[in-house]
Structures are given as C-alpha cells and as structure tokens.
C-alpha cells in the first residue's frame, strides 16, 4: 500500500483533514501515511504584501481546529481581522433600529466572534504546518479511480498508480471524486453572483461584521486587519455584471448607498471579482472506501459566512472518528462502519444549514408582498429573544452541534450557552 489515506484536494478542508488526522493519531499510530494531491501549485510560504481578494469569516470553533492542525500559529497576526460585533439589519430599517440584530463578543463572554482571513493565508498556514506523516503532491490530478474490497487505486494524470485504504474527496464544489464515484447532487442555483472587493471606509469598521439584507440579496462589509473592509455583495447576476463594469467612483457610491452609509463613504482599493452562487448538496458523502468533505459534499450560500466552517466541522468529525478507530493495531482506515458513522454525524447538520441559508436568502429577497418586511421585523424580534440569540451565536461560533467535544469545549474561548 502506498498510503493509508489519500486526500484529493489541498484546499482548506483537504489540508486541515490531513494535518488534523496526523495530530490526533500521534503518537499512537506510528507510521501513519497520508498523501494530499492538489491540481494547484504548492502554497507560497510568504504571502504577497497586498491582501488577497478572497477572504472567509473563520469561527472560534474553526480556530480551535486550526490550532490542533498546527496551522493557526503560522498565520501572520497582521493578516487576521478579528471581529467583536456583528450587526445584521434590514434595508427598510437602520443598523441600530428596530429591524436589526446585534451580536457582541463581550455579551457572549468571549474575546472574539470570529476572524476575517484571506483564503491564501489559510491555505499557506495549513500547507506549511509541521508534520511528518503528510506527503504533499502539488500540481497533479487523478485521472481514474478503482475501488476494491481491500484498497482504492488512483491513476494520476502522469500515469502513476497510487493505492490507499481510504480516499477522501476535498476537491471543491465541482468534485472530481464525487462524480467519479457516481454520487449525485441536489442543486439550487440562486440566480445571484457574489461581488467581492476591498474598500477603504470614511468611518472605522470598529471590528464589526456588517450585514444588510437588501431587497435583492445580502451585502456584507467584513473588517480586515489593515482597517479596510471586504465586500461580499450577493445580488442578481445581471446587477453583479453592472457592478463589475462601473468605474471606481460609481462602484464606491453604489456600495455606500447599498450599505446605508453605515461606514460613511467607501473607496474601492482593489479590482473586483464575482462568483456564481449555487447551493449543491451531495446525496451521500461516503461509499466504499471514500468520503467527501467540505465543498465537495456541500456548497452553501455565503450569506452567513459558514461554508469553510462547515468544512472544518466535517474535518474534525472524520479525523476524530478515524483516529479513535486507528488506535486498534491493524485497523483499516477505510472501514465501512467508520464511514457510515461519519455520514450519520454530518449529513443532517450540513443539509439543515444549507436549507436555512436558502430560506434566509429567499425570505429577505422575496417578491411576495409582506414576506421581506416580516423577515425584517423578525430580526428585531430575535434581537430581544435572549435564549434564541445565544443559541444562534453559539452555533455561528462553532461551539455547538455535531462536533467533537474538544471543539465545543475550548477552555478560555467557550461560547455562550455552552453545555
Ligand atoms: C464569495 C464567497 C464568499 C465566501 N465567504 C465565506 C465566509 O465568509 N466564511 C466561510 O466559512 N465560507 C465562505 N465561503 C465559502 C468558502 O470559500 C468555501 O466553503 C471553502 O473555501 C471551501 O473549501 P474546500 O477546501 O472544501 O474547497 P476549495 O477551497 O474549493 O478547495 C478545493 C481544492 O481542490 C483542488 N482540486 C480541485 N479539483 C481537483 C482535482 N481534480 N484534482 C486535484 N485537486 C483538485 C483545488 O485546486 C483546491 O485546492 C465563501 C464563498 C464565496 C464564493
């Protein structure tokens, strides 16, 4: 056997899974071998001076997972944008009005609600995290896969065969492995694109994640460590193309108006990009000698910033269940019982979060008279329901639901309503 486990896809989920499995298995399973192959080149150890355009909101629960992977200490402090407040409001109201919902780290008894981090910084930290069990194979794709009773065999595009007991598909929303294994998807195109850019704001962001539900989609201004904000504006695709085509002044003006001038006027400081938004849920995330994690298993609307966090939760559950199983000498990493347990643990939560994002997006942007208004009023109501609000915050912070106890119970950074 070439490796115990082969991971296809060296993005956030794939690298985190490989690093975490090594960390949870050590020192009980000497000789564990994991390969991660990625179509993209190796991640650079030193980040470019300019902050990358793609960023994600990382929850405190995901931070715990990244610490356990050995990756968190490698993130440059100057590239982590912590946020301590979150304000969500409706386009018919003001950010501090009756149709708004606010979360505060101090009220929740935690230091931060989350962190805005560049995709590339995260990948680089995970790529360069310490460890001896993980072999990184950049710049290569698999071409074929064959699964037998005892092993899975990949044929790489350069003709090399690669054998393992378990193959993990972490190859993103168009997953090659998912298709090669004949796993179907439930798909829901939103008819929206997310426009992203970084902007300088007249007023400081005050370590706050701002999100406004507009009549045709949500707009978020996320606080970067360097004082700027990162825009994620989900809007009908035709509008997104208009926004991409505007000159800088008109674009800044459009974002300023759409955000209700909550941070005053805004000036774009980067080029813009747009990503098509489609929800995609694999009908199953395991099968004979394979498992799917991260976007390969579920792609969701970015409105609540949960996509990468759900992927890290898959990572924590699968790595934990495998590490427990591998304590038995000679245990098979592709054991069907372990894979079924993973499927049971993650399916419900992943499907439920995806549906919740679709409902939220539809509710706020509904053409049905009264529904969008009711959704706006609902924000204000939730703001006064302490127990519900604390539950929502605990989930968003990654401290509740189907994750191992060490993710929920992280000493000094415990979330609200923690069991
Ligand atoms: C506009 C936008 C904003 C977002 N904001 C947030 C946010 O604030 N918070 C959040 O949690 N999530 C957010 N997300 C979602 C988040 O970006 C994704 O959920 C996350 O990056 C998925 O990680 P992944 O590792 O599963 O997949 P990917 O990051 O797509 O990684 C897949 C990897 O597999 C490799 N690969 C692909 N095909 C092959 C192949 N055939 N062979 C070998 N390698 C292959 C790729 O090179 C890549 O490295 C956002 C998404 C969008 C579009």
């Amino acid at each position: 056997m070439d490796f115990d486990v082969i991971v296809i896809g060296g993005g956030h989920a794939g690298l985190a899974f490989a690093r975490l499995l090594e960390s949870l298995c050590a020192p009980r399973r000497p000789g564990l071998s994991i390969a991660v192959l990625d179509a993209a080149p190796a991640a650079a150890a030193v980040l470019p001076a300019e902050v990358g355009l793609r960023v994600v909101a990382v929850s405190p629960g995901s931070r715990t997972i990244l610490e356990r992977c050995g990756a968190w200490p490698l993130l440059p402090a100057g590239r982590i944008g912590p946020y301590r407040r979150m304000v969500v409001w409706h386009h018919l109201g003001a950010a501090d009005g009756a149709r708004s919902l606010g979360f505060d780290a101090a009220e929740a008894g935690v230091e931060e609600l989350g962190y805005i981090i560049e995709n590339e910084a995260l990948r680089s930290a995970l790529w360069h995290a310490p460890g001896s069990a993980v072999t990184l194979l950049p710049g290569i794709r698999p071409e074929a896969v064959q699964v037998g009773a005892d092993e899975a065999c990949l044929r790489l595009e350069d003709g090399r065969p690669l054998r393992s007991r378990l193959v993990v598909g972490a190859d993103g929303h168009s997953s090659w492995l998912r298709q090669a294994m004949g796993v179907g998807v439930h798909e829901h195109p939103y008819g929206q694109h997310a426009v992203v850019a970084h902007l300088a704001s007249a007023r400081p962001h005050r370590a706050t994640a701002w999100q406004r539900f507009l009549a045709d989609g949500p707009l978020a201004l996320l606080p970067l460590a360097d004082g700027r904000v990162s825009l994620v504006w989900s809007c009908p695709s035709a509008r997104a193309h208009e926004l991409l085509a505007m000159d800088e002044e008109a674009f800044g003006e459009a974002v300023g108006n759409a955000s209700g001038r909550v941070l005053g006027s805004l000036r774009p400081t980067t080029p813009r990009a747009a990503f098509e938004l489609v929800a995609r849920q694999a009908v199953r995330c395991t099968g004979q000698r394979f498992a799917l994690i991260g976007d390969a298993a579920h792609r969701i609307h970015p409105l609540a910033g949960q996509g990468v966090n759900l992927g890290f939760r898959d990572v924590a559950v699968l790595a934990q269940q495998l590490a427990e199983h591998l304590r038995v000498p000679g245990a098979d990493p592709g054991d069907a019982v372990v894979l079924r347990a993973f499927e049971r643990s993650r399916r419900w939560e992943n499907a439920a979060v995806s549906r919740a994002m679709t409902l939220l997006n539809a509710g706020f942007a509904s053409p049905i008279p009264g529904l969008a208004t009711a959704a706006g009023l609902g924000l204000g109501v939730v703001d006064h329901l302490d127990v519900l609000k604390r539950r929502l915050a605990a989930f968003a912070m990654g401290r509740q639901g189907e994750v191992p106890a060490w993710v929920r119970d992280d000493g000094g950074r415990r979330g609200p309503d923690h069991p």
Side-chain angles (χ1 to χ4, degrees), residues 134 165 187 190 201 219 233 266 385 391 418:
V134 179
R165 298 287 216 174
E187 198 165 274
Y190 288 105
S201 56
L219 174 148
W233 186 351
L266 292 157
L385 297 177
R391 292 265 163 210
H418 192 275

Side-chain angles (χ1 to χ4, degrees), residues 254-293:
V255 182
N257 287 335
S259 60
R261 310 243 159 234
V262 73
L263 296 178
S265 60
L266 292 157
R267 181 174 53 80
T269 58
T270 61
R272 289 152 243 167
F275 301 90
E276 191 185 2
L277 299 181
V278 179
R280 204 171 279 150
Q281 184 84 24
V283 298
R284 60 193 169 99
C285 58
T286 59
Q288 194 182 13
R289 297 205 170 273
F290 80 89
L292 303 171
I293 58 173

